[in-house]
Amino acid sequence: MTATRAERKARTARRRPVRRFLVITHRWMSLLLGLVLLAITTSGAILLYRPELEKLGHGDAYAASAGPATVDVVEAREIVLQAHPDFAADGVWLEHGVYRVTDYESWWTVDPATGEILGHLSGTPKWIQFLDNLHECFLACEDYPGYIAALNEPVPLTRWAGFDGEELTWGGLALAVLGLMLLYLSLTGLWLWFPRPRRFKQAVSVRWKRGRFARDTDLHNVVGLLALGLLVVWAYTGAGYATELMEKGWYAVTPGSAHPEVDAVSAKAEKGTPDITPREAADAAQARYPDLKLVNMDVPVKGDRTGAYTFYFQRGLDPWGNNDYPGNVGVFVDRHTGETGDFYGFADEPVAQRIWEDWNYPTHSGYVVNGWWRIIWLLAGLAPLVLAWTGVSTWLVRRRTRRARRKAAKAGAVPPPVPDTVAEVLADDPEQDPELATVLTSPGDDSRPS
């Protein structure tokens, strides 16, 4: 006997346990942990424009003239020290067109063209520090607003997942789990969306005039698809900032092994051995890479005889160029002898390491592009808000339909029909709601839409 179309649909639904599992886990993981994940992704969307937000109200400090540079990092530091001899000028960065001379809590800005001190910034606003603490540490960063000491405690038996054999903190564990959760939701969302070739056009369009359920179903699919690439990058790299497992996984599936790390330290010397001057150190570093642009200098800490001068240069396309800390080649200079060595951006490092170390954070943060192009990152960062809204909206419609039908059946009345737009979705994917899908495939049910 030939099976009817409805019977074939019913059997197909029963033969898709994997899809049903993905639907359930995708939906309930979003519902149960969605608010926490939204807090992380939304705070990250705001932090995409952290450099611009920090400059609000301090425009004069970044109002550099457009002329060619006449002073370098060493001279910029000396200019600030001459004007403010008690300032601990630990580092100098060429950042957004000005030299930022900093003690890493506050900074003075210097015009590279004129050598004029432009202004002073006392540090990052507290509300941005709170977002940093939430997004980067899950409130486990000490000395930051919102710090919760319990989240900075180590998690037992997690040395296998921590960096350099250290245990994860509870905050780090939460971020790792949330990153993996976002990765799972992104990949399962792609799997559940992926249409048959003849339905591709329908799968990438929005039915704006077919009612709430159709509109929100399509918006969920289209917005998720558009943001998918960055969501996957954020999920993987974000988890990688909390656990070393992601880095190990990256190197396990990419060719080549990472270049061994090099400690940027000076050789031990007898107490009282004089230091070379910052100018001598900068000249030694520049001699190592005479054709590269010097964009940073950090001086060694007083009292640390093994501390070294460190410098950053820009080589080719610098993915850190729009960040507060530009430079993709790191050179250290022995504070006693002037001998030089590389500690970052090695010429012989494999492509896999260069992608992970050079492009990981700049891509995650959006600083790999300028502020205008970063709007793409901003929209993707806000996409989880749309996904949450549309996901809950469509779930509520199905839930209300099921409850109305159960209530009518319990009262002995004819159950209300399944809305046409819900029926259209379930006809293609009955695993979205097997209970209502069964209604649509039951030949004797008068509640089906005509």
Side-chain angles (χ1 to χ4, degrees):
M1 181 177 178
T2 304
T4 65
R5 184 167 178 264
E7 290 171 340
R8 288 198 299 271
K9 276 189 175 183
R11 285 205 298 265
T12 299
R14 289 195 295 270
R15 289 197 299 264
R16 302 170 79 181
V18 173
R19 187 175 184 85
R20 181 59 185 161
F21 172 80
L22 294 179
V23 168
I24 292 174
T25 54
H26 183 93
R27 181 178 301 156
W28 286 101
M29 191 179 293
S30 301
L31 288 172
L32 294 176
L33 297 177
L35 287 178
V36 179
L37 185 58
L38 282 177
I40 299 300
T41 55
T42 305
S43 61
I46 298 171
L47 289 172
L48 287 168
Y49 284 90
R50 173 179 174 165
E52 288 78 8
L53 291 170
E54 288 183 340
K55 296 180 183 66
L56 287 177
H58 301 280
D60 292 345
Y62 289 87
S65 58
T70 61
V71 300
D72 61 13
V73 293
V74 177
E75 292 165 330
R77 179 174 181 268
E78 292 173 350
I79 289 170
V80 170
L81 286 177
Q82 288 174 5
H84 307 280
D86 295 331
F87 184 72
D90 298 320
V92 186
W93 295 87
L94 178 58
E95 176 243 331
H96 298 292
V98 300
Y99 286 120
R100 178 164 51 95
V101 184
T102 179
D103 61 0
Y104 291 99
E105 291 184 359
S106 62
W107 56 91
W108 294 91
T109 57
V110 177
D111 189 328
T114 65
E116 176 189 358
I117 295 178
L118 299 173
H120 179 259
L121 286 82
S122 58
T124 303
K126 294 294 183 182
W127 68 273
I128 294 182
Q129 290 184 19
F130 172 78
L131 293 181
D132 276 335
N133 199 4
L134 173 63
H135 187 77
E136 298 180 6
C137 306
F138 202 71
L139 303 181
C141 281
E142 196 170 359
D143 298 328
Y144 275 68
Y147 172 65
I148 299 176
L151 294 174
N152 200 26
E153 293 296 321
V155 181
L157 306 178
T158 57
R159 292 185 183 278
W160 57 276
F163 290 95
D164 300 322
E166 294 185 359
E167 292 175 322
L168 298 177
T169 64
W170 288 105
L173 178 62
L175 289 176
V177 170
L178 289 170
L180 293 174
M181 170 185 162
L182 179 58
L183 182 63
Y184 181 81
L185 292 176
S186 300
L187 296 179
T188 55
L190 176 63
W191 177 282
L192 295 172
W193 164 85
F194 206 85
R196 294 188 294 274
R198 63 187 177 87
R199 290 187 176 272
F200 183 81
K201 183 177 180 179
Q202 177 182 330
V204 295
S205 58
V206 179
R207 293 168 290 179
W208 294 103
K209 299 180 180 180
R210 290 298 307 277
R212 165 187 164 187
F213 185 83
R215 179 201 65 201
D216 291 351
T217 296
D218 294 345
L219 275 176
H220 191 87
N221 292 334
V222 172
V223 171
L225 180 64
L226 292 174
L228 180 67
L230 280 172
L231 291 178
V232 170
V233 169
W234 285 331
Y236 197 92
T237 56
Y241 303 143
T243 171
E244 197 174 22
L245 294 179
M246 312 309 289
E247 181 178 347
K248 291 179 178 178
W250 170 262
Y251 285 121
V253 299
T254 54
S257 56
H259 191 288
E261 291 186 8
V262 174
D263 291 330
V265 297
S266 299
K268 289 185 178 180
E270 294 184 5
K271 189 174 182 179
T273 302
D275 289 349
I276 62 174
T277 66
R279 168 55 61 198
E280 291 171 329
D283 289 345
Q286 190 72 71
R288 189 175 183 87
Y289 292 106
D291 298 327
L292 299 187
K293 183 179 181 180
L294 178 61
V295 292
N296 159 255
M297 175 183 71
D298 279 306
V299 299
V301 177
K302 292 181 179 180
D304 180 7
R305 287 183 290 167
T306 61
Y309 288 96
T310 59
F311 299 86
Y312 274 95
F313 295 86
Q314 289 182 320
R315 177 172 55 200
L317 177 60
D318 177 17
W320 302 88
N322 292 300
N323 192 12
D324 290 347
Y325 303 103
N328 55 353
V329 175
V331 174
F332 70 94
V333 179
D334 189 295
R335 69 187 300 170
H336 310 297
T337 67
E339 295 182 4
T340 64
D342 293 346
F343 69 90
Y344 185 84
F346 306 99
D348 60 344
E349 67 184 6
V351 174
Q353 182 179 13
R354 185 157 297 172
I355 292 174
W356 182 260
E357 294 193 356
D358 251 7
W359 294 86
N360 179 329
Y361 181 76
T363 303
H364 182 101
S365 64
Y367 297 152
V368 70
V369 294
N370 62 32
W372 290 108
W373 282 104
R374 218 176 301 149
I375 292 174
I376 297 173
W377 271 250
L378 176 63
L379 294 176
L382 297 176
L385 290 173
V386 179
L387 297 175
W389 160 51
T390 54
V392 171
S393 172
T394 54
W395 174 73
L396 288 174
V397 170
R398 292 192 302 269
R399 179 173 177 268
R400 185 171 61 248
T401 302
R402 289 194 306 271
R403 294 184 68 177
R405 289 182 56 80
R406 291 172 185 170
K407 184 177 180 180
K410 188 175 181 180
V414 176
V418 177
D420 288 350
T421 51
V422 177
E424 289 177 8
V425 172
L426 296 181
D428 284 334
D429 190 3
E431 301 301 344
Q432 291 291 334
D433 198 311
E435 180 180 332
L436 295 180
T438 301
V439 173
L440 301 174
T441 57
S442 298
D445 196 310
D446 294 333
S447 67
R448 291 172 297 156
S450 57

